[in-house]
Amino acid sequence: VEVESAATVKQLNKARQRNEVLAERLSNQNEHCRQLEEQIRKSDEYSCNLQHKVEQNEKNFSTRLTALPPTLRSMKTDYASLRSQVRNFSEFYGSAINEAKKQIAAAINQMSEANKDLLEKYRKEVALRRKYHEQLVELKGNIRVLCRVKPVLKEDQHEEGQSVVVATDPNNESSLTVLTKGKGRVFELDKVFQPQATQEEIFQEIEPLVTSSIDGYHVCIFAYGQTGSGKTHTMEGTVENPGINQRALKHLFHEIEERKDMWSYNVSVSSVEIYNEVLRDLLSKDGEKLDIKINPDGTGQLHVPGLRVIEVKSFQHIKKILATARRNRITFGTQMNQHSSRSHALLCITVQGTDLATGSKTTGKLNLVDLAGSERVWKSGAEGERLKEAQNINRSLLALGDVIQALRARQTHIPFRNSRLTYLLQDSLGKGSKTVMVVQVSALESNVGETLCSLKFAQRVCKVELGPAARKIESGLCSNPDQGLNVQLLPTPEHKTPPSSSSTSVAIILNLSSVCMEELVSSNGLVLLPVWLMNREILSAHSHQDINTSVHAELLILL
């Protein structure tokens, strides 16, 4: 019996394990061989297919190559034809473009001429409309309202809320648009100046009114707007660029010089300010406090006792007076304006003229008013004395608004006495005066609230009718020029046919104290020149007593 040793058994086990591993590897190799055989079979099939396709493609390519030379020849022929067409097209295209340019230029020129013609017609219509509007305003005696937009300064352009919200139309001089809350609101006024308008352009608009003061009319020009909107600049200006005040006075003396051969004039000046509802004389050294009284001469006109009135002979003299008044006016700095006027300033020029030929006398007044600016205390930062000033300024401007509202509504009672400002302006805002308001507005978004308030007030002022302007004239032939003449025209019985100018008669009832007139101004502002067919001695015999006399006269009515 052979006995196996332990080492032999161990070796046998190892040999069995290797045989098993080798058998498994052999099995895997056989499987791999089968897979390779399958791939080879498929590759052979694919190769056969490819070979078949190649043979088929060779046949197709051979057929196409056979047909390609004729195609190439045809393409060459087409290319040569296209090349020839392109050369011809470039020439045709150039000529067509030139012809189109000529036609377009002709059409543009035609449209441009048509647009110019339309624009010219539009401008003429606007000017004609404005002319008729001004005539209507003058007949009604409306207060004319001019608007000046303050240009945006360089120091304002980099601050928050300084975008421009006010737009003007260069083709329409009577409207401007304010953009607020995403919507544009249009305001219609008598005249709107562009932000770049000069001081000379502003004055040219009101120059005829200055001439009216020489002719014997009461004229008032005042600036209204928020603080810092440029009112003082418009009214006073600077030494290099004077405002309305100096330009008006210079024009006044120029007119006086032009008329020196026919008229003799005396010009007197006074200047006052209203500070905290106190009237101060700007031409006195101590700024004496004054009061407003009714003139005791019985005319019912207002006057200021103790007010210094200086007679001036030349423009240079009056410039010194203006400088004195400017120095004496009260100004302080606020957050909205470094040189804010804290008072209302009024410059009054009285012009008394005498006709050297007839002795007739005229008395005209020119009031130039620079109102203190309305302000909101929370924006201006006013405290203490500045707060008191702001309250008084706003209160007086509110009183001015009440007067404007009463005049617009034609109320029987006008509250002129509610403030010193309106009481002092009573003559200028009363019947028979020529009044112009220059409303100053800011174009900046941060001031849109104040701008809207100013423009709303300006629109209300536009609708105020003061009645036709009355000329203050006294006949030089009257024995007592202080006495007036009341005239009532009574039409004669109606005629079935219009009477001839030589037979037109009216009955005139005269309230006589002295009647020697060459000029008669009717209540509607029309001038009537009577041709008296009566004995002048009969009338002069009653020159010192009041007699109601009915006489018939032939009148030549000049309209």
Side-chain angles (χ1 to χ4, degrees):
V1 179
E2 184 178 352
V3 179
E4 294 181 355
S5 64
T8 303
V9 172
K10 185 176 181 180
Q11 290 177 354
L12 286 174
N13 289 333
K14 288 182 178 181
R16 289 191 192 99
Q17 292 177 355
R18 285 197 299 272
N19 287 336
E20 291 175 356
V21 171
L22 289 174
E24 184 178 358
R25 291 178 61 185
L26 179 61
S27 176
N28 292 335
Q29 290 293 331
N30 290 332
E31 182 66 25
H32 183 65
C33 287
R34 284 193 299 272
Q35 291 177 357
L36 290 175
E37 288 175 355
E38 182 67 22
Q39 290 179 0
I40 290 171
R41 184 182 62 79
K42 290 181 179 181
S43 297
D44 290 340
E45 292 178 357
Y46 183 72
S47 297
C48 289
N49 292 332
L50 286 177
Q51 185 176 4
H52 178 72
K53 289 181 179 180
V54 167
E55 291 174 357
Q56 187 68 29
N57 289 333
E58 285 179 353
K59 291 180 181 180
N60 293 334
F61 287 151
S62 176
T63 303
R64 291 181 180 178
L65 287 174
T66 303
L68 187 61
T71 305
L72 289 175
R73 286 193 295 270
S74 176
M75 290 180 65
K76 286 181 180 180
T77 304
D78 292 342
Y79 172 75
S81 176
L82 287 173
R83 189 173 181 180
S84 175
Q85 291 179 11
V86 166
R87 283 197 300 268
N88 296 333
F89 178 76
S90 63
E91 297 175 358
F92 172 77
Y93 176 77
S95 61
I97 290 294
N98 292 332
E99 184 64 24
K101 285 182 178 180
K102 292 178 181 179
Q103 294 178 0
I104 292 173
I108 290 175
N109 290 333
Q110 186 177 1
M111 291 298 297
S112 177
E113 291 297 328
N115 288 340
K116 286 181 181 179
D117 185 53
L118 289 174
L119 184 60
E120 185 65 24
K121 290 181 179 178
Y122 172 74
R123 287 175 177 170
K124 288 181 179 179
E125 288 297 326
V126 169
L128 192 62
R129 175 180 175 272
R130 184 163 175 259
K131 176 184 176 182
Y132 290 154
H133 172 72
E134 290 179 353
Q135 290 177 354
L136 181 62
V137 165
E138 185 175 354
L139 289 174
K140 288 184 177 181
N142 287 41
I143 299 177
R144 295 195 67 228
V145 178
L146 315 178
C147 178
R148 187 179 192 184
V149 181
K150 180 182 178 182
V152 179
L153 304 178
K154 292 182 179 180
E155 54 266 26
D156 296 332
Q157 295 177 351
H158 304 292
E159 298 180 12
E160 185 179 355
Q162 303 305 320
S163 59
V164 176
V165 295
V166 177
T168 57
D169 185 356
N171 293 322
N172 188 353
E173 296 182 342
S174 61
S175 71
L176 79 165
T177 305
V178 180
L179 184 64
T180 173
K181 297 180 180 179
K183 297 181 179 179
R185 180 166 181 178
V186 179
F187 292 88
E188 291 286 340
L189 303 172
D190 293 306
K191 172 82 173 183
V192 177
F193 294 98
Q194 302 291 323
Q196 63 270 20
T198 63
Q199 300 277 61
E200 179 63 24
E201 291 177 28
I202 305 297
F203 176 72
Q204 285 178 356
E205 189 68 23
I206 62 173
E207 184 178 311
L209 275 80
V210 178
T211 306
S212 296
S213 67
I214 305 175
D215 295 331
Y217 293 93
H218 280 195
V219 176
C220 179
I221 302 167
F222 66 96
Y224 178 90
Q226 73 173 96
T227 182
S229 59
K231 299 181 300 300
T232 303
H233 175 73
T234 296
M235 296 303 295
E236 296 184 3
T238 61
V239 177
E240 299 80 12
N241 191 18
I244 290 175
N245 291 4
Q246 289 197 43
R247 293 177 188 271
L249 294 169
K250 185 175 182 180
H251 175 72
L252 186 145
F253 279 100
H254 175 74
E255 285 294 317
I256 290 175
E257 181 65 22
E258 290 289 324
R259 304 183 186 187
K260 65 180 181 180
D261 294 333
M262 298 178 291
W263 286 82
S264 171
Y265 290 98
N266 291 324
V267 181
S268 57
V269 178
S270 62
S271 183
V272 296
E273 73 169 350
I274 302 173
Y275 175 70
N276 286 342
E277 284 300 299
V278 175
L279 197 66
R280 296 177 62 250
D281 188 350
L282 292 178
L283 300 183
S284 65
K285 295 181 180 179
D286 54 355
E288 182 181 355
K289 297 180 181 179
L290 305 170
D291 199 4
I292 306 171
K293 302 289 185 181
I294 299 294
N295 201 323
D297 61 3
T299 60
Q301 300 292 325
L302 299 177
H303 83 126
V304 181
L307 177 65
R308 188 180 181 191
V309 180
I310 302 176
E311 185 175 346
V312 291
K313 297 295 184 182
S314 66
F315 176 63
Q316 295 301 325
H317 184 194
I318 208 168
K319 283 179 66 176
K320 296 179 181 178
I321 296 174
L322 292 178
T324 301
R326 191 182 303 113
R327 286 194 303 269
N328 291 336
R329 190 179 182 188
I330 297 175
T331 60
F332 286 103
T334 67
Q335 292 180 8
M336 298 183 69
N337 188 1
Q338 292 298 319
H339 302 282
S340 175
S341 301
R342 313 306 293 170
S343 64
H344 308 296
L346 186 145
L347 179 66
C348 181
I349 300 98
T350 302
V351 184
Q352 294 179 329
T354 303
D355 190 333
L356 300 179
T358 65
S360 298
K361 295 183 179 181
T362 60
T363 302
K365 284 186 179 181
L366 175 61
N367 291 327
L368 303 172
V369 186
D370 179 16
L371 298 177
S374 59
E375 61 183 65
R376 297 180 179 180
V377 175
W378 63 270
K379 289 183 69 174
S380 63
E383 297 178 351
E385 192 65 24
R386 303 291 83 76
L387 177 60
K388 180 181 178 182
E389 294 167 353
Q391 291 171 342
N392 280 301
I393 291 171
N394 291 337
R395 190 178 298 116
S396 61
L397 293 177
L398 182 62
L400 178 61
D402 293 339
V403 167
I404 293 298
Q405 184 62 30
L407 288 170
R408 180 184 173 188
R410 299 183 180 180
Q411 297 177 2
T412 55
H413 172 69
I414 310 298
F416 285 113
R417 297 197 180 192
N418 284 3
S419 78
R420 292 296 180 92
L421 173 64
T422 54
Y423 198 20
L424 196 61
L425 291 178
Q426 181 173 345
D427 289 344
S428 301
L429 296 176
K431 293 183 178 180
S433 299
K434 294 186 177 184
T435 305
V436 171
M437 182 180 83
V438 181
V439 57
Q440 296 277 158
V441 296
S442 169
L444 301 179
E445 183 181 10
S446 58
N447 297 323
V448 67
E450 291 85 349
T451 297
L452 287 173
C453 289
S454 297
L455 292 174
K456 289 177 184 177
F457 178 74
Q459 281 195 324
R460 292 199 302 270
V461 173
C462 277
K463 298 179 182 179
V464 175
E465 296 181 9
L466 301 179
R471 188 182 184 195
K472 309 302 185 292
I473 184 170
E474 299 172 359
S475 175
L477 300 177
C478 295
S479 59
N480 187 358
D482 293 332
Q483 298 294 333
L485 174 65
N486 299 323
V487 179
Q488 179 182 2
L489 299 183
L490 302 178
T492 57
E494 295 182 357
H495 295 273
K496 294 182 180 179
T497 58
S500 63
S501 60
S502 60
S503 62
T504 303
S505 64
V506 295
I508 304 177
I509 300 178
L510 303 173
N511 187 342
L512 298 174
S513 58
S514 61
V515 182
C516 298
M517 291 194 60
E518 299 297 329
E519 182 175 64
L520 179 64
V521 181
S522 66
S523 61
N524 62 357
L526 301 178
V527 178
L528 308 180
L529 298 180
V531 181
W532 302 105
L533 300 180
M534 63 186 74
N535 192 336
R536 198 180 292 268
E537 295 179 357
I538 296 176
L539 296 177
S540 62
H542 305 288
S543 60
H544 297 290
Q545 52 185 323
D546 292 333
I547 301 176
N548 289 328
T549 307
S550 178
V551 295
H552 289 274
E554 293 286 329
L555 293 183
L556 173 63
I557 304 179
L558 302 180
L559 301 181

